[in-house]
Amino acid sequence: MAGMPSPFRILSAVAGGLLVLLLALPLVALVGHAAGGGSVAVWFGPETREALTVSLRTSALSLALIVLLGTPLAAWLASARHPLLPWVRTLVELPMVLPPTVAGLGLLLAFGRAGMLGGVLSFWGVQIPFTLTAVVLAQLFVGAPLFVSAARTAFAAVDPELTEAAATLGSGETARFLRVTLPVARHGLISGATLALARALGEFGATLMFAGNMAGVTRTLPLAVYGALQTDPEVAIGLSLILLLMAGALLMVLRLAERGIERKRDASR
């Protein structure tokens, strides 16, 4: 009958709706429980402020390092024609699929006292594990691949005719990158930075193994949730709601960045 949806569309709608329901139920349960109980009162406690401060400080530092170091790497990955390129890409993206505990163990074996760089660091009086620096390194390790991957895609999508036109006008390579490539690719960079920041804020396993769970020093919000769940579930729910709201806000930024990319594509057609 005309106007009736096909069996394929019906099955697709049912399957898609079921998946959305499975994804939404835990979030709705978390928000509903927090709204109906006293979990929100946890937001104003000193432990929450400490964990939130550590999370914001470390994630801001890790994001700054990720953008500073990852932007030139992503530009190289997007433009280079080197035989080592596939290997470098694999190495950069590998942390995205590693279990967090493996990442934490790797960081310990690299920067711990008995690790690869342990002797050099000890000689200079530097101790990284179980410090704020360890939290930043753990967040960088898991967040950098997301930024580099998104930035590489953004740089690869830049029309080479734009940079060639700038070159004919006398712009050097650095000027072309700063004045042409970066502005054109900015929405992709914002998307990558947002994903990296969200990943850094939510990092748990590698941080716990490499930095520990010391209040006011290395205890981030995810670690605070883990600790509170064993003693006071209401506190854990309140802290989880903070992370949920922060993640939602970051995803909204990501959607706005994607909308900017779509507008740019439509304008170029």
mmCIF file of all heavy atoms in Angstrom, residues 52 55-56 58-60 62-63 66-67 139 143 146 187-203 221-222 240-259:
data_model
loop_
_atom_site.group_PDB
_atom_site.id
_atom_site.type_symbol
_atom_site.label_atom_id
_atom_site.label_comp_id
_atom_site.label_asym_id
_atom_site.label_seq_id
_atom_site.Cartn_x
_atom_site.Cartn_y
_atom_site.Cartn_z
ATOM 1 N N LEU A 52 37.142 18.500 41.818
ATOM 2 C CA LEU A 52 36.834 19.304 40.641
ATOM 3 C C LEU A 52 38.010 20.195 40.266
ATOM 4 O O LEU A 52 38.340 20.346 39.082
ATOM 5 C CB LEU A 52 35.586 20.147 40.905
ATOM 6 C CG LEU A 52 35.112 21.039 39.746
ATOM 7 C CD1 LEU A 52 34.770 20.192 38.528
ATOM 8 C CD2 LEU A 52 33.907 21.871 40.175
ATOM 9 N N SER A 55 40.661 18.051 38.646
ATOM 10 C CA SER A 55 40.236 17.669 37.294
ATOM 11 C C SER A 55 40.392 18.822 36.311
ATOM 12 O O SER A 55 40.904 18.642 35.199
ATOM 13 C CB SER A 55 38.780 17.198 37.309
ATOM 14 O OG SER A 55 38.657 15.913 37.869
ATOM 15 N N LEU A 56 39.932 20.006 36.707
ATOM 16 C CA LEU A 56 39.992 21.149 35.805
ATOM 17 C C LEU A 56 41.433 21.578 35.545
ATOM 18 O O LEU A 56 41.803 21.903 34.405
ATOM 19 C CB LEU A 56 39.181 22.310 36.386
ATOM 20 C CG LEU A 56 37.669 22.098 36.458
ATOM 21 C CD1 LEU A 56 36.986 23.293 37.102
ATOM 22 C CD2 LEU A 56 37.085 21.840 35.067
ATOM 23 N N THR A 58 44.276 19.739 35.784
ATOM 24 C CA THR A 58 45.031 18.758 35.007
ATOM 25 C C THR A 58 44.524 18.652 33.574
ATOM 26 O O THR A 58 45.324 18.544 32.635
ATOM 27 C CB THR A 58 44.971 17.383 35.682
ATOM 28 O OG1 THR A 58 43.598 17.016 35.901
ATOM 29 C CG2 THR A 58 45.708 17.410 37.009
ATOM 30 N N SER A 59 43.214 18.701 33.390
ATOM 31 C CA SER A 59 42.676 18.590 32.032
ATOM 32 C C SER A 59 43.027 19.818 31.198
ATOM 33 O O SER A 59 43.282 19.706 29.996
ATOM 34 C CB SER A 59 41.159 18.377 32.068
ATOM 35 O OG SER A 59 40.520 19.438 32.751
ATOM 36 N N ALA A 60 43.060 20.995 31.836
ATOM 37 C CA ALA A 60 43.469 22.203 31.107
ATOM 38 C C ALA A 60 44.935 22.119 30.692
ATOM 39 O O ALA A 60 45.299 22.464 29.554
ATOM 40 C CB ALA A 60 43.232 23.443 31.955
ATOM 41 N N SER A 62 46.750 19.313 30.328
ATOM 42 C CA SER A 62 46.916 18.255 29.330
ATOM 43 C C SER A 62 46.400 18.702 27.970
ATOM 44 O O SER A 62 47.021 18.417 26.936
ATOM 45 C CB SER A 62 46.206 16.975 29.776
ATOM 46 O OG SER A 62 44.806 17.165 29.881
ATOM 47 N N LEU A 63 45.282 19.440 27.946
ATOM 48 C CA LEU A 63 44.754 19.922 26.675
ATOM 49 C C LEU A 63 45.715 20.909 26.022
ATOM 50 O O LEU A 63 45.924 20.863 24.797
ATOM 51 C CB LEU A 63 43.392 20.575 26.884
ATOM 52 C CG LEU A 63 42.725 21.122 25.613
ATOM 53 C CD1 LEU A 63 42.436 19.981 24.634
ATOM 54 C CD2 LEU A 63 41.445 21.867 25.952
ATOM 55 N N ILE A 66 48.441 18.877 24.538
ATOM 56 C CA ILE A 66 47.941 18.118 23.394
ATOM 57 C C ILE A 66 47.841 19.005 22.155
ATOM 58 O O ILE A 66 48.273 18.625 21.059
ATOM 59 C CB ILE A 66 46.565 17.495 23.728
ATOM 60 C CG1 ILE A 66 46.738 16.335 24.707
ATOM 61 C CG2 ILE A 66 45.854 17.009 22.469
ATOM 62 C CD1 ILE A 66 45.437 15.823 25.297
ATOM 63 N N VAL A 67 47.281 20.202 22.311
ATOM 64 C CA VAL A 67 47.129 21.108 21.174
ATOM 65 C C VAL A 67 48.489 21.610 20.702
ATOM 66 O O VAL A 67 48.774 21.665 19.498
ATOM 67 C CB VAL A 67 46.214 22.286 21.551
ATOM 68 C CG1 VAL A 67 46.184 23.328 20.434
ATOM 69 C CG2 VAL A 67 44.804 21.790 21.834
ATOM 70 N N GLN A 139 46.297 11.755 31.217
ATOM 71 C CA GLN A 139 45.262 12.383 30.396
ATOM 72 C C GLN A 139 45.770 12.673 28.995
ATOM 73 O O GLN A 139 45.050 12.503 28.004
ATOM 74 C CB GLN A 139 44.776 13.665 31.076
ATOM 75 C CG GLN A 139 44.032 13.424 32.373
ATOM 76 C CD GLN A 139 43.700 14.711 33.094
ATOM 77 O OE1 GLN A 139 44.226 15.778 32.775
ATOM 78 N NE2 GLN A 139 42.807 14.634 34.070
ATOM 79 N N GLY A 143 44.124 11.254 25.613
ATOM 80 C CA GLY A 143 43.393 12.290 24.889
ATOM 81 C C GLY A 143 44.042 12.740 23.599
ATOM 82 O O GLY A 143 43.352 13.128 22.653
ATOM 83 N N LEU A 146 42.848 11.398 20.056
ATOM 84 C CA LEU A 146 41.579 11.919 19.572
ATOM 85 C C LEU A 146 41.780 13.269 18.882
ATOM 86 O O LEU A 146 41.206 13.527 17.812
ATOM 87 C CB LEU A 146 40.597 12.066 20.731
ATOM 88 C CG LEU A 146 40.158 10.758 21.394
ATOM 89 C CD1 LEU A 146 39.380 11.054 22.674
ATOM 90 C CD2 LEU A 146 39.305 9.940 20.446
ATOM 91 N N HIS A 187 37.529 24.553 12.729
ATOM 92 C CA HIS A 187 36.389 23.813 13.289
ATOM 93 C C HIS A 187 36.771 22.369 13.606
ATOM 94 O O HIS A 187 36.352 21.821 14.632
ATOM 95 C CB HIS A 187 35.216 23.842 12.312
ATOM 96 C CG HIS A 187 34.606 25.200 12.148
ATOM 97 N ND1 HIS A 187 33.999 25.872 13.174
ATOM 98 C CD2 HIS A 187 34.528 26.025 11.060
ATOM 99 C CE1 HIS A 187 33.555 27.050 12.747
ATOM 100 N NE2 HIS A 187 33.867 27.164 11.475
ATOM 101 N N GLY A 188 37.582 21.768 12.751
ATOM 102 C CA GLY A 188 38.046 20.410 13.023
ATOM 103 C C GLY A 188 38.963 20.358 14.233
ATOM 104 O O GLY A 188 38.921 19.402 15.017
ATOM 105 N N LEU A 189 39.782 21.395 14.387
ATOM 106 C CA LEU A 189 40.665 21.454 15.551
ATOM 107 C C LEU A 189 39.849 21.621 16.842
ATOM 108 O O LEU A 189 40.173 21.022 17.871
ATOM 109 C CB LEU A 189 41.652 22.613 15.409
ATOM 110 C CG LEU A 189 42.600 22.564 14.200
ATOM 111 C CD1 LEU A 189 43.560 23.738 14.238
ATOM 112 C CD2 LEU A 189 43.375 21.259 14.181
ATOM 113 N N ILE A 190 38.813 22.439 16.774
ATOM 114 C CA ILE A 190 37.952 22.621 17.944
ATOM 115 C C ILE A 190 37.266 21.307 18.305
ATOM 116 O O ILE A 190 37.160 20.937 19.479
ATOM 117 C CB ILE A 190 36.914 23.728 17.686
ATOM 118 C CG1 ILE A 190 37.604 25.089 17.561
ATOM 119 C CG2 ILE A 190 35.874 23.775 18.803
ATOM 120 C CD1 ILE A 190 36.684 26.203 17.131
ATOM 121 N N SER A 191 36.810 20.587 17.289
ATOM 122 C CA SER A 191 36.172 19.286 17.540
ATOM 123 C C SER A 191 37.148 18.325 18.211
ATOM 124 O O SER A 191 36.805 17.652 19.197
ATOM 125 C CB SER A 191 35.669 18.686 16.227
ATOM 126 O OG SER A 191 34.669 19.486 15.651
ATOM 127 N N GLY A 192 38.364 18.260 17.680
ATOM 128 C CA GLY A 192 39.363 17.370 18.257
ATOM 129 C C GLY A 192 39.737 17.766 19.671
ATOM 130 O O GLY A 192 39.886 16.903 20.557
ATOM 131 N N ALA A 193 39.880 19.068 19.911
ATOM 132 C CA ALA A 193 40.223 19.539 21.253
ATOM 133 C C ALA A 193 39.095 19.239 22.240
ATOM 134 O O ALA A 193 39.345 18.884 23.402
ATOM 135 C CB ALA A 193 40.514 21.035 21.224
ATOM 136 N N THR A 194 37.861 19.365 21.790
ATOM 137 C CA THR A 194 36.717 19.071 22.654
ATOM 138 C C THR A 194 36.684 17.599 23.034
ATOM 139 O O THR A 194 36.454 17.242 24.201
ATOM 140 C CB THR A 194 35.405 19.467 21.960
ATOM 141 O OG1 THR A 194 35.459 20.853 21.592
ATOM 142 C CG2 THR A 194 34.215 19.233 22.868
ATOM 143 N N LEU A 195 36.910 16.729 22.056
ATOM 144 C CA LEU A 195 36.944 15.296 22.338
ATOM 145 C C LEU A 195 38.086 14.945 23.287
ATOM 146 O O LEU A 195 37.918 14.128 24.204
ATOM 147 C CB LEU A 195 37.093 14.518 21.030
ATOM 148 C CG LEU A 195 35.873 14.478 20.109
ATOM 149 C CD1 LEU A 195 36.244 13.841 18.771
ATOM 150 C CD2 LEU A 195 34.731 13.718 20.762
ATOM 151 N N ALA A 196 39.254 15.555 23.052
ATOM 152 C CA ALA A 196 40.400 15.283 23.915
ATOM 153 C C ALA A 196 40.133 15.747 25.343
ATOM 154 O O ALA A 196 40.482 15.064 26.310
ATOM 155 C CB ALA A 196 41.647 15.971 23.360
ATOM 156 N N LEU A 197 39.504 16.913 25.487
ATOM 157 C CA LEU A 197 39.190 17.426 26.814
ATOM 158 C C LEU A 197 38.186 16.525 27.528
ATOM 159 O O LEU A 197 38.332 16.228 28.726
ATOM 160 C CB LEU A 197 38.642 18.844 26.708
ATOM 161 C CG LEU A 197 38.235 19.528 28.020
ATOM 162 C CD1 LEU A 197 39.417 19.594 28.976
ATOM 163 C CD2 LEU A 197 37.677 20.914 27.749
ATOM 164 N N ALA A 198 37.170 16.076 26.797
ATOM 165 C CA ALA A 198 36.179 15.179 27.387
ATOM 166 C C ALA A 198 36.826 13.869 27.831
ATOM 167 O O ALA A 198 36.524 13.339 28.910
ATOM 168 C CB ALA A 198 35.058 14.905 26.390
ATOM 169 N N ARG A 199 37.725 13.362 27.008
ATOM 170 C CA ARG A 199 38.422 12.111 27.362
ATOM 171 C C ARG A 199 39.320 12.310 28.577
ATOM 172 O O ARG A 199 39.408 11.434 29.449
ATOM 173 C CB ARG A 199 39.248 11.620 26.170
ATOM 174 C CG ARG A 199 39.956 10.290 26.400
ATOM 175 C CD ARG A 199 38.953 9.177 26.554
ATOM 176 N NE ARG A 199 39.611 7.901 26.839
ATOM 177 C CZ ARG A 199 39.944 7.489 28.060
ATOM 178 N NH1 ARG A 199 39.669 8.249 29.106
ATOM 179 N NH2 ARG A 199 40.528 6.335 28.240
ATOM 180 N N ALA A 200 39.976 13.465 28.642
ATOM 181 C CA ALA A 200 40.851 13.749 29.778
ATOM 182 C C ALA A 200 40.053 13.872 31.068
ATOM 183 O O ALA A 200 40.454 13.351 32.115
ATOM 184 C CB ALA A 200 41.647 15.032 29.521
ATOM 185 N N LEU A 201 38.916 14.547 31.006
ATOM 186 C CA LEU A 201 38.082 14.707 32.194
ATOM 187 C C LEU A 201 37.546 13.369 32.700
ATOM 188 O O LEU A 201 37.342 13.179 33.898
ATOM 189 C CB LEU A 201 36.915 15.656 31.898
ATOM 190 C CG LEU A 201 37.248 17.144 31.842
ATOM 191 C CD1 LEU A 201 36.071 17.933 31.290
ATOM 192 C CD2 LEU A 201 37.628 17.659 33.231
ATOM 193 N N GLY A 202 37.298 12.448 31.786
ATOM 194 C CA GLY A 202 36.734 11.157 32.171
ATOM 195 C C GLY A 202 37.752 10.071 32.412
ATOM 196 O O GLY A 202 37.372 8.939 32.732
ATOM 197 N N GLU A 203 39.040 10.368 32.267
ATOM 198 C CA GLU A 203 40.072 9.347 32.426
ATOM 199 C C GLU A 203 40.096 8.801 33.852
ATOM 200 O O GLU A 203 40.041 9.546 34.830
ATOM 201 C CB GLU A 203 41.437 9.937 32.061
ATOM 202 C CG GLU A 203 42.635 9.125 32.514
ATOM 203 C CD GLU A 203 42.566 7.663 32.118
ATOM 204 O OE1 GLU A 203 42.006 7.337 31.054
ATOM 205 O OE2 GLU A 203 43.064 6.845 32.898
ATOM 206 N N LEU A 221 37.748 13.853 39.509
ATOM 207 C CA LEU A 221 36.338 13.516 39.726
ATOM 208 C C LEU A 221 36.040 12.035 39.484
ATOM 209 O O LEU A 221 35.330 11.417 40.282
ATOM 210 C CB LEU A 221 35.452 14.390 38.838
ATOM 211 C CG LEU A 221 35.111 15.774 39.396
ATOM 212 C CD1 LEU A 221 34.344 16.593 38.369
ATOM 213 C CD2 LEU A 221 34.307 15.667 40.683
ATOM 214 N N PRO A 222 36.528 11.418 38.394
ATOM 215 C CA PRO A 222 36.255 9.983 38.222
ATOM 216 C C PRO A 222 36.804 9.140 39.374
ATOM 217 O O PRO A 222 36.163 8.169 39.796
ATOM 218 C CB PRO A 222 36.955 9.649 36.897
ATOM 219 C CG PRO A 222 36.983 10.939 36.156
ATOM 220 C CD PRO A 222 37.181 11.978 37.194
ATOM 221 N N SER A 240 28.919 11.909 39.894
ATOM 222 C CA SER A 240 28.677 11.416 38.536
ATOM 223 C C SER A 240 27.820 12.390 37.742
ATOM 224 O O SER A 240 28.028 12.576 36.529
ATOM 225 C CB SER A 240 27.997 10.046 38.587
ATOM 226 O OG SER A 240 28.803 9.094 39.231
ATOM 227 N N LEU A 241 26.873 13.017 38.413
ATOM 228 C CA LEU A 241 26.016 13.987 37.733
ATOM 229 C C LEU A 241 26.829 15.195 37.254
ATOM 230 O O LEU A 241 26.569 15.736 36.180
ATOM 231 C CB LEU A 241 24.890 14.432 38.669
ATOM 232 C CG LEU A 241 23.800 15.303 38.032
ATOM 233 C CD1 LEU A 241 23.125 14.574 36.877
ATOM 234 C CD2 LEU A 241 22.753 15.695 39.088
ATOM 235 N N ILE A 242 27.806 15.604 38.038
ATOM 236 C CA ILE A 242 28.684 16.694 37.605
ATOM 237 C C ILE A 242 29.405 16.313 36.317
ATOM 238 O O ILE A 242 29.464 17.082 35.353
ATOM 239 C CB ILE A 242 29.713 17.035 38.706
ATOM 240 C CG1 ILE A 242 29.020 17.571 39.944
ATOM 241 C CG2 ILE A 242 30.724 18.054 38.192
ATOM 242 C CD1 ILE A 242 29.968 17.842 41.102
ATOM 243 N N LEU A 243 29.963 15.104 36.299
ATOM 244 C CA LEU A 243 30.664 14.640 35.101
ATOM 245 C C LEU A 243 29.719 14.537 33.916
ATOM 246 O O LEU A 243 30.090 14.857 32.779
ATOM 247 C CB LEU A 243 31.315 13.283 35.375
ATOM 248 C CG LEU A 243 32.585 13.327 36.225
ATOM 249 C CD1 LEU A 243 32.977 11.914 36.663
ATOM 250 C CD2 LEU A 243 33.727 13.977 35.456
ATOM 251 N N LEU A 244 28.488 14.096 34.164
ATOM 252 C CA LEU A 244 27.507 13.984 33.089
ATOM 253 C C LEU A 244 27.191 15.355 32.492
ATOM 254 O O LEU A 244 27.129 15.518 31.266
ATOM 255 C CB LEU A 244 26.238 13.325 33.619
ATOM 256 C CG LEU A 244 25.070 13.184 32.629
ATOM 257 C CD1 LEU A 244 25.478 12.330 31.450
ATOM 258 C CD2 LEU A 244 23.859 12.585 33.329
ATOM 259 N N LEU A 245 26.998 16.353 33.350
ATOM 260 C CA LEU A 245 26.710 17.707 32.866
ATOM 261 C C LEU A 245 27.894 18.294 32.113
ATOM 262 O O LEU A 245 27.720 18.958 31.075
ATOM 263 C CB LEU A 245 26.331 18.598 34.047
ATOM 264 C CG LEU A 245 25.020 18.253 34.767
ATOM 265 C CD1 LEU A 245 24.841 19.133 36.001
ATOM 266 C CD2 LEU A 245 23.838 18.405 33.824
ATOM 267 N N MET A 246 29.095 18.056 32.600
ATOM 268 C CA MET A 246 30.285 18.560 31.911
ATOM 269 C C MET A 246 30.440 17.899 30.540
ATOM 270 O O MET A 246 30.757 18.573 29.550
ATOM 271 C CB MET A 246 31.526 18.315 32.767
ATOM 272 C CG MET A 246 31.558 19.128 34.052
ATOM 273 S SD MET A 246 32.914 18.657 35.170
ATOM 274 C CE MET A 246 34.324 19.249 34.251
ATOM 275 N N ALA A 247 30.214 16.601 30.483
ATOM 276 C CA ALA A 247 30.307 15.883 29.217
ATOM 277 C C ALA A 247 29.251 16.380 28.238
ATOM 278 O O ALA A 247 29.524 16.562 27.047
ATOM 279 C CB ALA A 247 30.159 14.381 29.446
ATOM 280 N N GLY A 248 28.033 16.622 28.734
ATOM 281 C CA GLY A 248 26.979 17.145 27.872
ATOM 282 C C GLY A 248 27.317 18.510 27.312
ATOM 283 O O GLY A 248 27.065 18.797 26.132
ATOM 284 N N ALA A 249 27.902 19.365 28.148
ATOM 285 C CA ALA A 249 28.295 20.697 27.686
ATOM 286 C C ALA A 249 29.371 20.607 26.608
ATOM 287 O O ALA A 249 29.330 21.331 25.600
ATOM 288 C CB ALA A 249 28.789 21.532 28.857
ATOM 289 N N LEU A 250 30.330 19.708 26.794
ATOM 290 C CA LEU A 250 31.389 19.553 25.797
ATOM 291 C C LEU A 250 30.834 19.010 24.483
ATOM 292 O O LEU A 250 31.265 19.418 23.392
ATOM 293 C CB LEU A 250 32.478 18.624 26.339
ATOM 294 C CG LEU A 250 33.351 19.204 27.451
ATOM 295 C CD1 LEU A 250 34.269 18.132 28.022
ATOM 296 C CD2 LEU A 250 34.178 20.372 26.923
ATOM 297 N N LEU A 251 29.886 18.100 24.561
ATOM 298 C CA LEU A 251 29.272 17.573 23.344
ATOM 299 C C LEU A 251 28.484 18.650 22.605
ATOM 300 O O LEU A 251 28.419 18.649 21.374
ATOM 301 C CB LEU A 251 28.376 16.386 23.672
ATOM 302 C CG LEU A 251 29.104 15.088 24.029
ATOM 303 C CD1 LEU A 251 28.116 14.008 24.418
ATOM 304 C CD2 LEU A 251 29.979 14.618 22.865
ATOM 305 N N MET A 252 27.890 19.576 23.335
ATOM 306 C CA MET A 252 27.200 20.693 22.691
ATOM 307 C C MET A 252 28.187 21.561 21.925
ATOM 308 O O MET A 252 27.909 22.017 20.802
ATOM 309 C CB MET A 252 26.461 21.527 23.738
ATOM 310 C CG MET A 252 25.213 20.861 24.296
ATOM 311 S SD MET A 252 23.988 20.490 23.000
ATOM 312 C CE MET A 252 23.624 22.143 22.388
ATOM 313 N N VAL A 253 29.357 21.789 22.509
ATOM 314 C CA VAL A 253 30.411 22.524 21.798
ATOM 315 C C VAL A 253 30.810 21.774 20.532
ATOM 316 O O VAL A 253 31.003 22.369 19.464
ATOM 317 C CB VAL A 253 31.637 22.722 22.712
ATOM 318 C CG1 VAL A 253 32.801 23.326 21.937
ATOM 319 C CG2 VAL A 253 31.276 23.613 23.892
ATOM 320 N N LEU A 254 30.915 20.460 20.643
ATOM 321 C CA LEU A 254 31.276 19.637 19.488
ATOM 322 C C LEU A 254 30.225 19.735 18.393
ATOM 323 O O LEU A 254 30.548 19.856 17.201
ATOM 324 C CB LEU A 254 31.444 18.182 19.933
ATOM 325 C CG LEU A 254 31.934 17.187 18.872
ATOM 326 C CD1 LEU A 254 33.294 17.589 18.352
ATOM 327 C CD2 LEU A 254 31.969 15.784 19.461
ATOM 328 N N ARG A 255 28.939 19.696 18.772
ATOM 329 C CA ARG A 255 27.871 19.822 17.779
ATOM 330 C C ARG A 255 27.928 21.179 17.087
ATOM 331 O O ARG A 255 27.700 21.279 15.879
ATOM 332 C CB ARG A 255 26.508 19.650 18.460
ATOM 333 C CG ARG A 255 26.234 18.303 19.090
ATOM 334 C CD ARG A 255 26.042 17.195 18.045
ATOM 335 N NE ARG A 255 27.304 16.611 17.645
ATOM 336 C CZ ARG A 255 27.936 15.667 18.317
ATOM 337 N NH1 ARG A 255 27.434 15.216 19.440
ATOM 338 N NH2 ARG A 255 29.064 15.164 17.867
ATOM 339 N N LEU A 256 28.222 22.239 17.837
ATOM 340 C CA LEU A 256 28.323 23.571 17.238
ATOM 341 C C LEU A 256 29.494 23.630 16.262
ATOM 342 O O LEU A 256 29.393 24.256 15.196
ATOM 343 C CB LEU A 256 28.490 24.625 18.335
ATOM 344 C CG LEU A 256 27.275 24.855 19.234
ATOM 345 C CD1 LEU A 256 27.622 25.810 20.363
ATOM 346 C CD2 LEU A 256 26.102 25.408 18.413
ATOM 347 N N ALA A 257 30.605 22.990 16.620
ATOM 348 C CA ALA A 257 31.751 22.959 15.717
ATOM 349 C C ALA A 257 31.415 22.196 14.438
ATOM 350 O O ALA A 257 31.782 22.614 13.329
ATOM 351 C CB ALA A 257 32.952 22.325 16.413
ATOM 352 N N GLU A 258 30.715 21.080 14.569
ATOM 353 C CA GLU A 258 30.311 20.313 13.394
ATOM 354 C C GLU A 258 29.356 21.113 12.516
ATOM 355 O O GLU A 258 29.404 21.026 11.290
ATOM 356 C CB GLU A 258 29.655 19.000 13.835
ATOM 357 C CG GLU A 258 30.633 18.022 14.457
ATOM 358 C CD GLU A 258 29.933 16.788 14.982
ATOM 359 O OE1 GLU A 258 28.684 16.816 15.096
ATOM 360 O OE2 GLU A 258 30.633 15.801 15.294
ATOM 361 N N ARG A 259 28.469 21.901 13.150
ATOM 362 C CA ARG A 259 27.561 22.739 12.377
ATOM 363 C C ARG A 259 28.346 23.780 11.588
ATOM 364 O O ARG A 259 28.001 24.100 10.443
ATOM 365 C CB ARG A 259 26.565 23.422 13.309
ATOM 366 C CG ARG A 259 25.467 24.182 12.591
ATOM 367 C CD ARG A 259 24.463 24.754 13.572
ATOM 368 N NE ARG A 259 23.827 23.698 14.357
ATOM 369 C CZ ARG A 259 22.950 23.945 15.330
ATOM 370 N NH1 ARG A 259 22.633 25.195 15.644
ATOM 371 N NH2 ARG A 259 22.394 22.941 15.977
#
